[in-house]
Amino acid sequence: MDRVRALVIDMDGVLWRGSAPLPGLRPLFAVLRSRRLPFVLATNNASQPPEVFVERLAAFGVRVGRDEVLTSAQATALELARRSPGGGRVFAIGDEGVRRALEEAGFTLIGPGEVDADYVVCGMDRGLTWDKLAAATLNIRAGATFVGTNPDLTFPTERGLVHGNGAVLAALQAATGVAPEIVGKPEPGMYRMAAAILGADPAGTVAVGDRLDTDVLGAVRAGMRSVLVLSGVTTPADLAASTVRPTWVMQDVAELARALELAAA
């Protein structure tokens, strides 16, 4: 831990579960600020714009800037803007986070009655309907590039695990025969975007997350060390059965905060 120079930190299942903060949230940010360790809060949750996460942390007594948050919706918009600098037409399944990120990147969002999209982008959508799935299916079948913001099959809430964006991607793949291109974790691109924001070397950057299949695997692919916290999705049994190995395993970010403090002593 004394060689940590920057961190890329997940949020759902790491800093909070549903609307409830998890142990160690405030101590973690206190030690990050005291050690002047730069960080990016990188989440596969595409449903909300960065400001919502900033406001949620403020309600928990932690101040972060908008530029310290990177969502998979933002990463997706940045990637598509790189491919199509002039913009394009997108049919989007997703909440405000997905739609705003695409519009800010210069893309035109089309309605469910149109079948002329360049891209179909699918992120978490709490207002998902049959009509939206039908429009996405028709556009993909007509040749639109199928893009998923993230592949998470489940999503942690106070009530337990519910379906995640990956479950919706699976339905669309079954309907079209087309596999989505994934931008968020575990693809390394999102971690590389975070490292670029930080101006950090991946070798000195540590990823913190609660999922082996996205957070830790993405860190491995990006050449980063990782901390798996057991406060979210992954259980000790999951860890024992997996070939994906984090650098450290900790109960929660309270333990991570203590480890960072000891490293600085």
Side-chain angles (χ1 to χ4, degrees), residues 6-142:
L7 295 96
V8 181
I9 305 169
D10 188 36
M11 289 188 273
D12 292 297
V14 176
L15 303 180
W16 54 69
R17 179 184 281 271
S19 60
L22 287 167
L25 188 156
R26 291 178 69 176
L28 174 64
F29 285 94
V31 71
L32 292 176
R33 297 302 191 194
S34 67
R35 285 195 57 189
R36 296 183 181 177
L37 285 171
F39 61 85
V40 164
L41 303 175
T43 178
N44 265 359
N45 185 339
S47 63
Q48 303 290 348
E51 292 84 357
V52 171
F53 297 106
V54 171
E55 290 167 6
R56 178 177 290 192
L57 283 163
F60 295 148
V62 172
R63 290 188 178 183
V64 301
R66 187 186 190 278
D67 59 346
E68 293 176 312
V69 176
L70 176 66
T71 71
S72 63
Q74 291 175 285
T76 298
L78 288 168
E79 171 59 22
L80 296 189
R82 183 190 66 80
R83 298 187 197 181
S84 303
R89 295 173 64 79
V90 179
F91 180 75
I93 289 178
D95 289 334
E96 183 183 1
V98 172
R99 303 180 69 82
R100 187 190 296 184
L102 290 166
E103 288 176 332
E104 289 177 350
F107 290 92
T108 299
L109 301 184
I110 68 171
E114 300 173 87
V115 188
D116 61 349
D118 300 304
Y119 299 97
V120 168
V121 173
C122 182
M124 181 178 285
D125 189 335
R126 290 178 174 83
L128 185 63
T129 64
W130 186 92
D131 286 338
K132 290 181 181 180
L133 290 171
T137 299
L138 291 167
N139 275 283
I140 294 167
R141 284 186 169 275

Side-chain angles (χ1 to χ4, degrees), residues 173-210:
Q173 182 172 346
T176 63
V178 178
E181 299 179 26
I182 303 297
V183 176
K185 300 175 282 186
E187 297 307 314
M190 189 165 167
Y191 277 127
R192 289 173 182 152
M193 288 181 195
I197 291 169
L198 292 165
D201 178 0
T205 304
V206 170
V208 183
D210 68 311

